[in-house]
Amino acid sequence: MAEVKKKRDGFGSKLGIIAAAAGSAIGLGNIYRFPCEVGENGGAAFLLFYLIVVNLLGIPVMLSELVIGRRSQSNSVGAFHKLAPNTKWPIVGYIGVLCGFLIFAFYSTVSGWTLEYIVKSVTNSFHGKDLATIESEFAAFHDMGWRNVMWQGIFIFLTGFVVFRGVQNGIEKTAKVLMPLLLGILIILGIRSMTLPGAKEGLSFLFRPDFSKITGKVMVEALGQGFFSLSLGMGVLITYGSYVKKEDNLTSTAFSVVIADTAIAILAGLVIFPAAFSFGVKPEAGMGLVFNTLPMLFNQITGGYWFCLIFFVLLAIAALTSTISLLEVLVAYLSEEMLLKRTWATVIACAGTMLLGVFASLSLMSETPFALAGHTVFDMMDFLSSNILLPIGGVLIVIFVGWRLGKQKFFEEVTNEGALKAPLKRIIFFIIRYLAPVAIAIVFISGLIK
Ligand code: PFF
């Protein structure tokens, strides 16, 4: 154990932790899953509830995870062993590890698609095609099950390669440079999308709420999307928190990440919905919403070839900085708790994910054996992890900090032992202790009953 400790890697700078945490948060969840969720759950009403969730609950849950990580200097399971020895609390860490496998398994399917779309961009394959052709090619691609699996395997391998090289070299450098670039390209695409004919309808779908659409299901989906998008509830930020230096400001890190993540999600909405309404893609189109609307948008833009290529490269990298964080949870657990060498931990975690992931990918073929009552394995993994395990993890994490770790230790961590003021610490602790557990539980239970 002592040897493992000595080798513990860390983030090199303050921007490092913000970039890495934002890199984990910003990914397919913002650009692909968020528009799907908004589209399938009635538009603006969902967005409104989502914004409440991420602002009111996202920051306290994120801060709780960072506090647990930095205080314990441990992976997501070891953290609870250290802070609450001889209790059942480490179960929270195990839920996170399980959840990490599940999310990585289906997330790598969609990540693989970004590689296919890079190839399509390079070969200018969308040029001059109409919506019907682009849609049927997307469906045909799903039916090539093993091609999906191949890209998924390549993506998992790439993730393993970066994680293998270690925290500082791999994660930090990748995230720092490319996230701002993604922001820039989304702004340009958003402006073009909003100036398309018929774009207004898309904007009102996104921003004019119809409150009758807020149902139990919409609330659970928004809660799940909030946790998923911010990478909360499964120990990513416990693990990353353990690499953060004692002088870093945890509260401002949490705020920065939540603001950046929300901004990118809303920007993605501003790119997708005006364009979708303009081209006649239905908001409930699910996977096709992004993968069919965007090529149509690129066809309308001067220099569309380059925009398309750069966009899919950036999307792949955004997905990569998220899969890196998922894999890092698994590798930190396997290497520190199971005492495996980091190399072996990486190989085993990648192989396990691949094994599960094959089912997720093959379940999207039209005649798949991997579906039950119309629900694909892909959907089941997504639902179980995002809408069930992440909120359960989140609730247990805030209960842990609010009631077991306690106010004094929480204040010590967020003020860096008194060096910082952290003026919001009282109100945030109040939310952690009382409001967040009750709110998450109510939304979660009422949604499940419905
Ligand atoms: N937050 C990532 C995204 O929005 O794409 C996905 C994700 C990464 C979810 C890590 C959960 C997680 F632990």
Side-chain angles (χ1 to χ4, degrees):
M1 207 58 190
E3 205 203 341
V4 173
K5 260 207 103 168
K6 214 170 48 198
K7 279 200 227 133
R8 214 147 210 294
D9 219 340
F11 291 119
S13 66
K14 179 167 178 212
L15 191 64
I17 167 63
I18 295 181
S24 169
I26 297 166
L28 298 170
N30 306 61
I31 292 161
Y32 163 77
R33 198 177 190 277
F34 175 76
C36 288
E37 291 283 315
V38 174
E40 282 165 7
N41 291 293
F46 175 92
L47 176 62
L48 192 71
F49 196 74
Y50 175 80
L51 289 177
I52 297 174
V53 167
V54 293
N55 283 295
L56 198 70
L57 305 176
I59 291 168
V61 178
M62 186 173 290
L63 198 52
S64 300
E65 287 203 30
L66 290 170
V67 162
I68 293 173
R70 190 171 67 177
R71 191 153 188 104
S72 66
Q73 292 289 298
S74 245
N75 63 84
S76 56
V77 172
F80 292 98
H81 278 305
K82 269 202 192 151
L83 299 178
N86 305 317
T87 64
K88 298 235 177 334
W89 280 106
I91 289 177
V92 182
Y94 289 115
I95 296 178
V97 170
L98 170 71
C99 202
F101 268 114
L102 282 174
I103 295 182
F104 194 9
F106 74 82
Y107 198 90
S108 53
T109 299
V110 185
S111 305
W113 298 350
T114 62
L115 301 180
E116 168 86 9
Y117 271 63
I118 289 174
V119 174
K120 280 185 190 275
S121 314
V122 172
T123 54
N124 209 3
S125 135
F126 305 114
H127 184 69
K129 288 183 179 158
D130 61 2
L131 182 65
T133 313
I134 288 176
E135 279 177 342
S136 71
E137 286 182 359
F138 185 54
F141 169 56
H142 282 165
D143 276 337
M144 291 186 251
W146 291 103
R147 191 174 168 92
N148 285 259
V149 171
M150 172 193 79
W151 287 126
Q152 177 177 38
I154 292 175
F155 207 93
I156 291 174
F157 176 82
L158 283 176
T159 312
F161 182 74
V162 179
V163 167
F164 172 70
R165 286 180 54 207
V167 174
Q168 204 163 326
N169 273 334
I171 305 173
E172 199 179 319
K173 281 189 192 147
T174 322
K176 245 191 228 171
V177 188
L178 293 155
M179 290 300 110
L181 213 59
L182 182 66
L183 184 73
I185 198 159
L186 281 176
I187 292 176
I188 297 174
L189 291 178
I191 293 171
R192 182 63 188 103
S193 177
M194 284 188 282
T195 48
L196 287 169
K200 254 201 197 137
E201 247 184 287
L203 285 177
S204 62
F205 179 77
L206 189 60
F207 291 126
R208 206 174 283 153
D210 169 359
F211 290 103
S212 67
K213 297 234 166 94
I214 300 191
T215 60
K217 173 181 175 277
V218 168
M219 280 164 38
V220 175
E221 296 280 347
L223 185 73
Q225 174 62 21
F227 276 87
F228 186 87
S229 188
L230 293 171
S231 304
L232 295 178
M234 58 146 289
V236 163
L237 290 145
I238 294 180
T239 310
Y240 277 13
S242 75
Y243 305 132
V244 175
K245 285 202 265 132
K246 285 287 169 204
E247 312 80 79
D248 282 345
N249 186 336
L250 297 184
T251 317
S252 70
T253 300
F255 270 94
S256 314
V257 174
V258 171
I259 291 169
D261 188 73
T262 311
I264 297 273
I266 292 179
L267 263 175
L270 284 173
V271 175
I272 298 295
F273 288 105
F277 276 80
S278 172
F279 301 134
V281 180
K282 294 228 158 45
E284 316 79 42
M287 296 170 165
L289 187 58
V290 170
F291 282 92
N292 294 330
T293 307
L294 285 176
M296 288 295 293
L297 179 61
F298 295 127
N299 276 343
Q300 309 278 323
I301 295 182
T302 341
Y305 175 85
W306 291 106
F307 272 106
C308 185
L309 180 59
I310 296 170
F311 176 82
F312 281 112
V313 169
L314 288 177
L315 188 60
I317 292 167
L320 187 64
T321 53
S322 300
T323 52
I324 287 167
S325 72
L326 288 162
L327 183 56
E328 183 60 33
V329 170
L330 307 178
V331 169
Y333 163 71
L334 289 173
S335 61
E336 292 178 13
E337 298 302 304
M338 310 296 272
L339 302 182
L340 292 175
K341 279 225 174 81
R342 216 178 139 88
T343 321
W344 279 112
T346 310
V347 170
I348 289 172
C350 287
T353 304
M354 189 67 218
L355 221 60
L356 268 178
V358 170
F359 295 101
S361 282
L362 296 183
S363 77
L364 297 175
M365 297 190 305
S366 44
E367 309 250 323
T368 183
F370 305 116
L372 236 167
H375 297 291
T376 59
V377 167
F378 180 101
D379 285 338
M380 287 187 242
M381 285 180 177
D382 185 350
F383 184 82
L384 175 64
S385 53
S386 317
N387 292 0
I388 301 201
L389 295 178
L390 293 185
I392 290 179
V395 108
L396 292 174
I397 284 164
V398 281
I399 292 175
F400 181 81
V401 171
W403 297 90
R404 167 87 202 199
L405 193 70
K407 193 178 193 166
Q408 198 196 336
K409 288 182 182 151
F410 177 79
F411 283 3
E412 277 169 24
E413 248 352 282
V414 293
T415 61
N416 296 353
E417 314 276 339
L420 298 171
K421 274 221 178 78
L424 295 174
K425 61 183 180 294
R426 277 172 217 290
I427 178 157
I428 295 179
F429 189 75
F430 176 83
I431 298 176
I432 289 174
R433 189 165 175 153
Y434 300 104
L435 200 71
V438 175
I440 300 172
I442 290 179
V443 171
F444 181 67
I445 293 167
S446 68
L448 279 194
I449 291 171
K450 293 251 166 67

